[in-house]
Structures are given as structure tokens and as C-alpha cells.
Amino acid sequence: METEYFVIGETSFHGQLSYKDSVITTASPVMLLVGNSQLTLDGSLDFSNYEMDIIADLENADIQLVNQFLPGNFNSGKATGRMQISGEYIAPSANAELNCNNIVYGKFFLESIEFNSKLYVNDGIKNGVVGLKVGKGTWENNSFQSGTFDATIDNEKVIVENCHFKSGKD
């Protein structure tokens, strides 16, 4: 199974989990090592009330590992960051910070990405913010020095607050 999902090196799992009264809990942070990538998980899943409270830390993660958790399909790069997930596991709230380097996504190449988001779910209504800062990059035959993107999430709508990419003297 590991080679099907993680074809980038040796895989090992370290840590302890406990299961009691329909609750899985980490005894201490659990680590998944895939090649040089590290994913650390700490928290609990409560199957009796369908809730979770998990902190996930990524360190030097190959983007193929990140692809397992994000929509889209990044081609290459490295990522480091933290995500805190809580609430009902069919519609959890999440806070995330992710820093990526040397990212290839389709026709985009980005030297760096700083991604921050907060998503709150209350009674099925989603609200939050997303922020993105990118370093130098290229798209097809176009290049840029930096860029920013900020948006708010208002239930089913994404409202773009800012989208700016600097190229030359722009």
C-alpha cells in the first residue's frame, strides 16, 4: 500500500495510538516518515460523536505526500507547515499554514508559496479567509517577481479581496 501512495522512498510509522470507548487518541505525537518527509499527528478522533481534534505538522514534505491531502495535483516541490483540524469530521473547521519551495503546478513554477487559511464550519455554514503570497515564478512564457492573493469564504461564495502579481515595473 505504501508504494502505491508514496513512491518516493522508505516509509516508517512511529508512535502509539490508543482506542477506548470509540475514541482513537495519540499517546504522544505519531510520526509518519516517507523518504526525507515527515508528517507528525497529535490528537483524537471520537467515533461516538463524529468529532476530531487533530494537529498535523509537515516538515520537508515532498509535494507528492501533500497531494494526498490537498485538491489538485502538484508536480514537484517541498512543503513545511501546520494544520489544526477540529469539529465534526464530516465538516471540520481548520487553520492551516503552509510554506512551499520550488513548486511546479501545471504550467506554473513558483520559487516559494506562503499559504494561510482559516475555515470555520458552524451548522454546515462555512466562513473563513485564505491568504497566499508567492515569490518569483513563471507561467508559460510570462514571469513575475511576487504575488499576493486574499479571499474570504462566505458559505458557498469565495470573494476575492486582492489578487496582484508584480512583473517588472508593474
Side-chain angles (χ1 to χ4, degrees):
M1 174 141 155
E2 298 136 5
T3 55
E4 226 175 275
Y5 287 108
F6 309 118
V7 294
I8 53 178
E10 269 187 47
T11 303
S12 63
F13 177 86
H14 304 271
Q16 295 180 344
L17 299 171
S18 67
Y19 181 77
K20 183 178 180 184
D21 298 327
S22 300
V23 179
I24 295 177
T25 306
T26 56
S28 61
V30 172
M31 291 187 348
L32 173 65
L33 303 170
V34 181
N36 293 326
S37 303
Q38 178 178 317
L39 172 63
T40 304
L41 298 170
D42 197 10
S44 62
L45 286 170
D46 187 335
F47 294 104
S48 64
N49 64 11
Y50 308 103
E51 290 194 358
M52 67 169 62
D53 187 13
I54 296 174
I55 295 174
D57 288 304
L58 283 172
E59 188 173 323
N60 195 38
D62 190 283
I63 206 69
Q64 290 180 0
L65 178 60
V66 175
N67 277 339
Q68 305 303 313
F69 304 99
L70 294 176
N73 191 16
F74 293 90
N75 302 96
S76 65
K78 296 283 185 180
T80 297
R82 171 172 273 211
M83 180 181 286
Q84 184 170 2
I85 309 160
S86 60
E88 292 184 12
Y89 56 74
I90 56 173
S93 296
N95 292 334
E97 295 177 6
L98 190 64
N99 295 311
C100 305
N101 293 308
N102 301 317
I103 298 296
V104 176
Y105 182 83
K107 295 180 181 184
F108 276 98
F109 169 76
L110 302 167
E111 279 187 8
S112 64
I113 299 175
E114 293 178 29
F115 173 79
N116 293 289
S117 70
K118 295 177 192 247
L119 178 65
Y120 304 101
V121 180
N122 190 8
D123 293 327
I125 297 173
K126 301 171 193 115
N127 291 298
V129 295
V130 175
L132 186 69
K133 292 180 185 177
V134 298
K136 288 183 183 178
T138 59
W139 175 68
E140 293 187 344
N141 294 322
N142 303 300
S143 63
F144 49 88
Q145 284 74 42
S146 62
T148 58
F149 174 85
D150 297 293
T152 57
I153 300 166
D154 183 5
N155 201 18
E156 299 298 320
K157 295 184 273 184
V158 175
I159 303 162
V160 176
E161 304 286 337
N162 167 54
C163 182
H164 178 78
F165 284 82
K166 183 177 180 186
S167 177
K169 295 182 181 183
D170 291 349

